[in-house]
Amino acid sequence: MSTAPFILVSPASRGVGLGLTRHYLRTTSLPVYATHRSSDPAFVKSHILDAQGMDDSSAERLKLLGPVEMTDEASIKNAADKLSAELKRQAGEAGKEGAAYIHRAWFCAGILHPEKRFEELDYDQILKTFKVNVISHLLAMKHFAPFLPPRSSSSEQGPAKWIHISARVGSISDNNSLGGWPSYRCSKAALNQAIRTFDLNLNMKKIPALCAGIHPGTVHTDLVDGGAFWHGPDPAHGKFELPDAVERITSVVERLQENQRGRVWDWKGQEVQP
Ligand SMILES: NC(=O)c1ccc[n+]([C@@H]2O[C@H](COP(=O)([O-])OP(=O)(O)OC[C@H]3O[C@@H](n4cnc5c(N)ncnc54)[C@H](OP(=O)(O)O)[C@@H]3O)[C@@H](O)[C@H]2O)c1
């Protein structure tokens, strides 16, 4: 069966997801499906396209899926249903036999409630952190996995790559000195287990795709800016402006091999130990 590849980025409104969406519009000729939770898709679209290197083709290839509230399963499922309907419509229009499948998928949802001490832990904040950082990723696996290539298919470009943005602080073996951010840390450790488990599942089903996690370094986005953790780029110590981080992590993902599946890799291409 022939397949038409596409990119999926969720969410794409800000930060790393926005940078990745622009990167794929700029550097590929593939359709890019991007989720957002705004009630103003025209604004989201113009914001994504308001960057260097965007042209008419970028505008045509950028397809928004939304609004998607990551703490609501019905909302995530609704986006997957919209994607399915859109792909069927396009296949019908083109009279194609083959279907469109994910080539690269990035799941970026994450929030940080930066508790310094255990006394600062708050039930609602912990719950929200786990809803966004873990549960939404599990539900993306549930609802978007059907868009991966089927086991009967093959691609000259190798396996599809399904990536979750994790963080080094999710590593238990690396947690030796500072501690801190317990809810975020625990959520990323749980996400890493979800990544491993989903990858095993893909492998068992012989789906031509691998799942992995990426630690992007410290990236200048609202996540760190709002928390005043940003004191300027310092690439030697893993601190990057957004375009630099995106170049590095997409390059790591392009180089990922079968024997690296199910694990978490940093912006240098080195493993973040579990
Ligand atoms: N920045 C860093 O230094 C760093 C380091 C390590 C790991 N990470 C990870 O990288 C990922 C991306 O972080 P970032 O730095 O790009 O953060 P960001 O700039 O704060 O962007 C967060 C994104 O998540 C979306 N989002 C948050 N809660 C949502 C919800 N309930 N429903 C729908 N969308 C929601 C936001 O959408 P709206 O625009 O609608 O709010 C926004 O698109 C996260 O998983 C983070 O943990 C970041």
Side-chain angles (χ1 to χ4, degrees):
M1 185 192 288
S2 67
T3 62
F6 66 86
I7 310 287
L8 174 64
V9 182
S10 174
S13 55
R14 284 188 290 124
V16 177
L18 172 63
L20 286 165
T21 304
R22 287 176 174 161
H23 169 87
Y24 285 110
L25 288 170
R26 213 181 269 130
T27 61
T28 74
S29 55
L30 301 178
V32 179
Y33 290 87
T35 81
H36 66 90
R37 65 171 158 176
S38 168
S39 54
D40 187 352
F43 172 79
V44 176
K45 187 157 186 170
S46 69
H47 179 52
I48 294 173
L49 293 171
D50 183 16
Q52 259 190 345
M54 298 295 157
D55 55 18
D56 290 348
S57 150
S58 319
E60 206 176 296
R61 288 181 292 117
L62 174 62
K63 322 267 185 200
L64 293 188
L65 296 169
V68 184
E69 169 49 59
M70 292 292 176
T71 58
D72 176 6
E73 180 170 4
S75 180
I76 296 171
K77 179 181 182 303
N78 189 37
D81 290 346
K82 278 187 187 166
L83 176 56
S84 175
E86 173 63 14
L87 295 177
K88 278 187 190 136
R89 188 189 67 73
Q90 284 178 15
E93 262 180 21
K96 278 186 191 160
E97 273 181 32
Y101 292 107
I102 287 171
H103 175 58
R104 301 284 178 263
W106 289 80
F107 300 93
C108 311
I111 55 171
L112 166 63
H113 184 64
E115 314 95 356
K116 288 196 181 68
R117 298 174 300 135
F118 273 76
E119 290 83 341
E120 291 170 25
L121 282 167
D122 172 84
Y123 180 85
D124 289 336
Q125 292 289 358
I126 299 168
L127 189 59
K128 195 171 166 202
T129 299
F130 270 75
K131 281 184 179 178
V132 177
N133 295 10
V134 189
I135 299 173
S136 82
H137 290 254
L138 285 164
L139 293 173
M141 291 165 181
K142 172 180 173 185
H143 291 293
F144 286 100
F147 301 102
L148 282 167
R151 54 189 290 170
S152 57
S153 67
S154 63
S155 163
E156 283 167 14
Q157 294 145 334
K161 291 177 178 169
W162 175 291
I163 308 297
H164 296 262
I165 308 277
S166 186
R168 190 183 302 285
V169 296
S171 164
I172 294 172
S173 57
D174 191 62
N175 190 3
N176 291 313
S177 51
L178 290 175
W181 302 356
S183 61
Y184 184 74
R185 244 176 225 287
C186 295
S187 71
K188 292 298 188 182
L191 173 63
N192 294 349
Q193 182 68 286
I195 289 166
R196 177 71 161 181
T197 307
F198 184 59
D199 182 69
L200 287 169
N201 201 265
L202 294 176
N203 207 11
M204 190 181 66
K205 290 183 175 163
K206 299 195 170 17
I207 291 173
L210 62 83
C211 173
I214 286 285
H215 166 61
T218 302
V219 189
H220 191 193
T221 66
D222 294 339
L223 190 92
V224 292
D225 220 9
F229 309 119
W230 182 254
H231 306 291
D234 182 1
H237 295 97
K239 295 182 179 169
F240 308 108
E241 292 294 350
L242 182 59
D244 191 9
V246 166
E247 284 304 320
R248 289 170 194 260
I249 62 177
T250 49
S251 155
V252 167
V253 164
E254 288 316 307
R255 295 196 307 270
L256 276 184
Q257 301 294 316
E258 279 283 343
N259 61 0
Q260 295 176 286
R261 59 188 304 157
R263 295 185 273 159
V264 181
W265 303 91
D266 74 7
W267 51 273
K268 274 195 267 189
Q270 291 179 353
E271 184 172 8
V272 176
Q273 296 294 328

